[in-house]
Amino acid sequence: LYHLIKLWVRLALRIYCKEIHFYNRRHLRAGGPFIIAAHHPNSFFDAILVGTYAKRPVHFLTRSDVFVNPVVRFLLRRLKMIPVYRIRDGKDKLSLNERSFRKSTDALARGAHILIFAEGFCEHQTTLQPLKKGAARIFLQSREEGLTVSMLPLWLRYSKFHTIGQRIAVLAGEPFSFSDVDLQAANGNALQAMNRLLEQRLQQLAAMPDSPVPHLQHRFLIVPALIGWLLHAPLYYAVQPFVKRFFIKTIHYDSVLFVLLTLLYPIWLIVLGVLARAVTANTAALGIVVLAPLAARAFILWK
């Protein structure tokens, strides 16, 4: 299930986003277990993005309240999500984090990656917020268990949050190991030292300028872009008002819109194929199933 979803989501991102630019992509594609300590500006779209482009399976530390429903909990676990408990979930629940950290180190021992959002919360933000200790705790626990694990700082930058066709920068910093941590700088406090180094690396990524955007000859795209709009407008304008009504004032708007469009798109392609076949009475009309995504891509580039 995980790998099938990963393949489909990668194709969907090519249509939904105008550009996804990577800096130091080799680090995200590297083998070996590591903890991805990421900036968190755009709800679960961030996790989708990282999980799709990482080479190895990514286990996601996710807020525990989304695991309440048994059916949802089953699906989330199949997608390699691990609940993490916050003080707002109740002090009695905080002890359950030990189990979550154990699952995290077990995944690292199998060579997988762990994604944790270092700030501990999400907001449409462009600046780094104070870091929580979760990433450092998992890192130190893996060291105590004799695992060779590195930490990968990751910064995510979006050109916009409330419409399709955004440009996204995925900026990976230089991974570091425990030997890179200056314990003396934090008076021997390992967690504090870890966070200090991680914060420094994330701030460096945040200060990086945007990459130049190549100029496109829009006049060459106008015809396929128009076709793409005509073919997809019914789907988009069926989904977007619903998402706007319930999520426009939340950080989840972009994520929910992307997920719903991605889930419904195979059905929409089938509908287009059936309609094309019925109107033309020609089996070749089924080629619209292939041409429609290309036309959608042309519209996003032209937009």
Side-chain angles (χ1 to χ4, degrees):
L1 177 63
Y2 177 87
H3 294 288
L4 287 175
I5 291 176
K6 183 175 179 177
L7 177 61
W8 179 246
V9 169
R10 181 173 291 192
L11 294 173
L13 285 169
R14 293 291 296 169
I15 298 175
Y16 190 85
C17 304
K18 181 169 292 187
E19 178 191 25
I20 301 178
H21 167 72
F22 292 89
Y23 175 78
N24 278 340
R25 186 175 185 178
R26 69 186 186 279
H27 295 323
L28 192 60
R29 300 288 295 167
F34 54 78
I35 300 167
I36 305 170
H39 174 53
H40 194 19
N42 198 18
S43 187
F44 54 92
F45 199 106
D46 298 335
I48 291 171
L49 194 64
V50 176
T52 299
Y53 287 102
K55 181 178 181 179
R56 295 198 177 186
V58 177
H59 294 254
F60 311 90
L61 280 125
T62 308
R63 44 189 273 192
S64 63
D65 55 337
V66 301
F67 287 80
V68 174
N69 183 283
V71 176
V72 173
R73 181 165 62 247
F74 174 81
L75 291 173
L76 293 181
R77 286 177 174 170
R78 299 289 81 73
L79 295 174
K80 304 185 185 302
M81 296 191 185
I82 302 171
V84 62
Y85 300 87
R86 302 163 297 175
I87 187 66
R88 70 184 67 175
D89 300 318
K91 291 183 179 180
D92 58 316
K93 298 286 184 65
L94 292 179
S95 60
L96 296 176
N97 280 329
E98 296 300 328
R99 184 191 307 168
S100 298
F101 292 153
R102 162 53 53 192
K103 291 181 179 179
S104 299
T105 54
D106 287 346
L108 290 169
R110 295 192 299 270
H113 304 326
I114 295 294
L115 171 63
I116 182 169
F117 296 109
E119 296 149 299
F121 77 105
C122 176
E123 189 173 313
H124 291 332
Q125 56 190 344
T126 58
T127 57
L128 185 66
Q129 306 302 306
L131 304 186
K132 298 296 189 292
K133 297 179 180 179
R137 285 186 62 184
I138 296 173
F139 189 85
L140 294 175
Q141 184 171 326
S142 65
R143 176 180 179 270
E144 291 172 0
E145 297 180 12
L147 301 178
T148 303
V149 175
S150 56
M151 180 86 76
L152 177 66
L154 193 74
W155 190 266
L156 303 173
R157 182 183 298 153
Y158 295 78
S159 61
K160 46 194 171 184
F161 295 104
H162 292 100
T163 185
I164 61 174
Q166 66 262 63
R167 292 185 171 90
I168 304 174
V170 181
L171 310 171
E174 292 294 328
F176 57 89
S177 63
F178 193 81
S179 61
D180 298 312
V181 180
D182 183 5
L183 290 179
Q184 297 302 318
N187 298 320
N189 188 315
L191 291 176
Q192 184 178 344
M194 278 295 310
N195 270 359
R196 181 173 299 184
L197 180 57
L198 178 58
E199 179 181 1
Q200 177 186 351
R201 298 291 179 91
L202 287 171
Q203 292 286 17
Q204 291 171 352
L205 295 172
M208 290 186 62
D210 290 327
S211 61
V213 178
H215 177 69
L216 294 172
Q217 296 295 325
H218 285 188
R219 63 180 180 273
F220 296 125
L221 292 173
I222 189 168
V223 173
L226 178 59
I227 295 172
W229 183 84
L230 290 173
L231 291 176
H232 296 86
L235 173 63
Y236 179 77
Y237 288 110
V239 173
Q240 191 267 352
F242 167 79
V243 179
K244 184 176 181 179
R245 178 179 179 183
F246 292 101
F247 297 98
I248 190 63
K249 294 183 180 180
T250 75
I251 58 172
H252 306 302
Y253 175 86
D254 195 32
S255 303
V256 174
L257 180 62
F258 173 75
V259 167
L260 288 181
L261 290 174
T262 299
L263 290 174
L264 293 174
Y265 196 53
I267 300 173
W268 182 244
L269 290 178
I270 293 172
V271 170
L272 289 177
V274 170
L275 290 175
R277 176 67 175 81
V279 170
T280 64
N282 190 331
T283 305
L286 294 175
I288 195 172
V289 174
V290 176
L291 295 177
L294 297 177
R297 176 63 179 164
F299 172 75
I300 291 298
L301 292 175
W302 176 83
K303 182 176 178 288

